Amino acid sequence: MTAAGTDTEAAPAAAPSLGRKVGSAAKWSLINTVVMRLGNFVTGIILARFFLGPEAWGVYGIAQTVLLVLLSANELGVSLAIVRWEGDPRRFAPTVLTLSALSSGLLYAVLFAVAPAVAVVLGSPEASGVLRVMCLCVVLDGLSQVPAGFLTREFAQGRRMAVDGLNFVLSTAVTLLLAVDGWGAMSFAWGSVAGNVAALIGCCLAAPGTLRFGWDREQAKALLRFGLPLAGASMLALGVVNVDTMVVGSALDALALGFYVLAFNISGWPVRIISEAARRVSFAGFSRLADSPQALAAGFGRALGVVMTATVPLCVLLAALAGPLVELIYGARWLPAARALPWLMALGLVRIGCELAYDCLVAIGRRRSLIGVQGLWLVLLVPALVVGARTGGIVGVAQGHVLVAGAVVVPVFLLALHRGGIRLGTVARACAWPFLGGVVMTAVVLGLERYLGDGVLALLAIGTAGTLVYGLCVLPSRSLLRGQAA
């Protein structure tokens, strides 16, 4: 889609260097994501082992869930126009910023008013104050969307890494200091606010001149027509990922909620490390290929192959060694979280593929398909999770997730991709070798655990052997991953 009145002559000039830009951006994005997630991982271990118990994690999980749902629609989807539309984005960026600031401010005002009622409904009345503080990030994020969009459009992931590093350092420092002082879940809230303030300042410095307000009525109409369907699909997608926390909070007790939040966070490690790195590049890359169905299909197949090859071994290790790893890293009191982890790792693998498909469908303009898929997913998921919580606790909730995702959502996404020109054979070729390697790796890991035990040295040996076996299994796919396959 092209913005009304924008200049399209600059678009072809970027084409010759697209591959180089995407490759460089992907490298920086992966480094950024790995470094930030390892930092968050270490911080989480320190907090869980020494300062915060399951109840505090449950309150934090509720607040984080509400925040993520609000962030999915805080700028009405219009900021994606900075990345997607052709021409000079500085001509319509002021209108984007005005819309984003107004919508995020209104969302926060509504949340502030209803926070006590929301906290009660979700089973954590004490989360009200945490909600009001943490969701200040909605306003800060709305303001940073335009400069962040310019960084994504320009594939400037090196500068983005510097911004995220500033965010991480400040948010972690504030969270740890307040946790040591006994602030409990509120330490997460103020840490998040401090980090988002730093990110806003960093984005403005990395993309100077982009934080300018303005208004053009015709541009606003075009932006809303473009963004509202995306915001709706994004909200549904975030609802799918976070409705389980709401169900566990309302159907089970605070202790179960804390265990589930920890297990879900662990299952998200591969998603965050691999999928976040890919998605910072994938939407911009797919957008450039949207006019060539053959190139788009080849690009999607290669991208899916890369993320699956990188993710499967992480999922296998965390699923097969869930109990020993949780006890080793977090301590014995967190062991109940390990029971749900194998199922959540399977869900994490599905999520990675679906998120990449989501970006591809957005890039080719199939927004109605996305709303339909996400809406169906959410409608089927809620009763499955409620039944699972009542019959199997947090394990039942995780099983309900996997059942709906595998039996319904994956086939529907495949159908939507097929209608967009990406055939089932492309997806199968991308996933075949990683899935075969995952099956073999699972057998090796479980077999070695039976004989070697679950000590620290044993776990290192098992992980190393399983990874080596997996690497041998996926070697035949290296031509596809390099983009050399037909």
Side-chain angles (χ1 to χ4, degrees):
M1 179 174 181
T2 305
T6 57
D7 180 13
T8 61
E9 294 179 0
S17 59
L18 178 61
R20 179 176 56 81
K21 285 184 177 181
V22 171
S24 175
K27 177 189 70 175
W28 280 109
S29 182
L30 180 59
I31 294 172
N32 180 15
T33 306
V34 170
V35 171
M36 294 303 112
R37 292 308 167 190
L38 285 176
N40 285 324
F41 167 62
V42 174
T43 303
I45 293 173
I46 294 172
L47 291 170
R49 288 190 74 97
F50 302 111
F51 301 113
L52 301 178
E55 292 84 356
W57 277 96
V59 173
Y60 164 68
I62 289 294
Q64 182 73 359
T65 296
V66 175
L67 173 61
L68 289 174
V69 172
L70 293 180
L71 287 176
S72 67
N74 69 323
E75 37 71 65
L76 304 178
V78 296
S79 67
L80 286 176
I82 299 292
V83 181
R84 180 68 179 90
W85 281 7
E86 297 175 357
D88 183 4
R90 292 181 184 271
R91 298 181 62 179
F92 54 87
T95 304
V96 173
L97 181 61
T98 301
L99 285 170
S100 181
L102 288 174
S103 62
S104 59
L106 179 61
L107 273 177
Y108 179 73
V110 173
L111 183 279
F112 189 91
V114 302
V118 171
V120 170
V121 170
L122 298 181
S124 295
E126 63 275 22
S128 175
V130 179
L131 275 173
R132 284 174 165 169
V133 173
M134 183 173 283
C135 287
L136 283 169
C137 297
V138 171
V139 179
L140 296 168
D141 182 77
L143 294 173
S144 67
Q145 285 297 312
V146 168
F150 274 88
L151 296 178
T152 301
R153 181 186 180 95
E154 298 167 4
F155 298 99
Q157 292 301 319
R159 280 178 279 167
R160 181 62 183 265
M161 181 175 178
V163 173
D164 289 345
L166 183 65
N167 182 339
F168 169 75
V169 170
L170 190 57
S171 64
T172 301
V174 171
T175 300
L176 287 174
L177 287 173
L178 294 181
V180 170
D181 200 39
W183 285 55
M186 188 63 81
S187 59
F188 285 112
W190 283 115
S192 297
V193 171
N196 274 267
V197 169
L200 174 59
I201 295 172
C203 283
C204 292
L205 294 175
T210 58
L211 199 68
R212 291 191 305 110
F213 290 93
W215 185 257
D216 183 294
R217 185 176 180 181
E218 294 304 315
Q219 287 179 353
K221 290 180 179 179
L223 286 165
L224 291 173
R225 284 196 300 269
F226 171 81
L228 286 176
L230 297 180
S234 182
M235 181 172 284
L236 288 172
L238 264 295
V240 165
V241 175
N242 293 284
V243 70
D244 52 356
T245 303
M246 301 178 185
V247 169
V248 173
S250 58
L252 304 176
D253 56 29
L255 197 64
L257 177 60
F259 290 135
Y260 185 82
V261 169
L262 184 77
F264 195 87
N265 285 345
I266 296 173
S267 73
W269 291 347
V271 178
R272 297 188 187 106
I273 292 175
I274 306 300
S275 185
E276 281 187 16
R279 296 190 79 187
R280 288 183 176 179
V281 180
S282 62
F283 178 67
F286 291 149
S287 296
R288 301 299 196 277
L289 301 174
D291 294 330
S292 174
Q294 185 175 359
L296 178 68
F300 178 81
R302 183 185 179 193
L304 182 62
V306 169
V307 297
M308 285 297 169
T309 301
T311 307
V312 165
L314 295 174
C315 291
V316 168
L317 287 176
L318 289 171
L321 303 175
L325 288 175
V326 169
E327 183 175 10
L328 175 67
I329 296 171
Y330 292 98
R333 67 171 174 170
W334 291 97
L335 268 175
R339 295 185 294 112
L341 190 53
W343 296 98
L344 291 175
M345 294 315 307
L347 174 66
L349 198 60
V350 173
R351 282 175 55 198
I352 287 175
C354 290
E355 287 175 358
L356 199 67
Y358 179 98
D359 286 347
C360 183
L361 292 171
V362 170
I364 61 177
R366 293 191 168 267
R367 297 186 289 277
R368 291 183 180 179
S369 297
L370 282 175
I371 293 176
V373 172
Q374 301 293 354
L376 176 65
W377 195 346
L378 188 59
V379 167
L380 295 177
L381 185 60
V382 172
L385 295 182
V386 171
V387 172
R390 292 175 178 174
T391 57
I394 63 173
V395 177
V397 171
Q399 291 171 337
H401 249 312
V402 175
L403 176 64
V404 173
V408 179
V409 178
V410 170
V412 174
F413 257 116
L414 290 174
L415 178 61
L417 287 172
H418 179 78
R419 291 177 174 175
I422 299 172
R423 301 188 180 278
L424 179 60
T426 300
V427 177
R429 282 192 297 274
C431 297
W433 290 110
F435 284 4
L436 174 62
V439 171
V440 176
M441 182 180 179
T442 301
V444 170
V445 168
L446 292 177
L448 288 177
E449 184 191 14
R450 180 177 301 176
Y451 290 103
L452 299 181
D454 56 8
V456 176
L457 293 179
L459 291 176
L460 288 173
I462 293 169
T464 302
T467 303
L468 289 174
V469 168
Y470 176 80
L472 293 174
C473 290
V474 299
L475 273 179
S477 66
R478 61 188 182 277
S479 59
L480 172 67
L481 303 182
R482 292 172 181 170
Q484 298 170 348

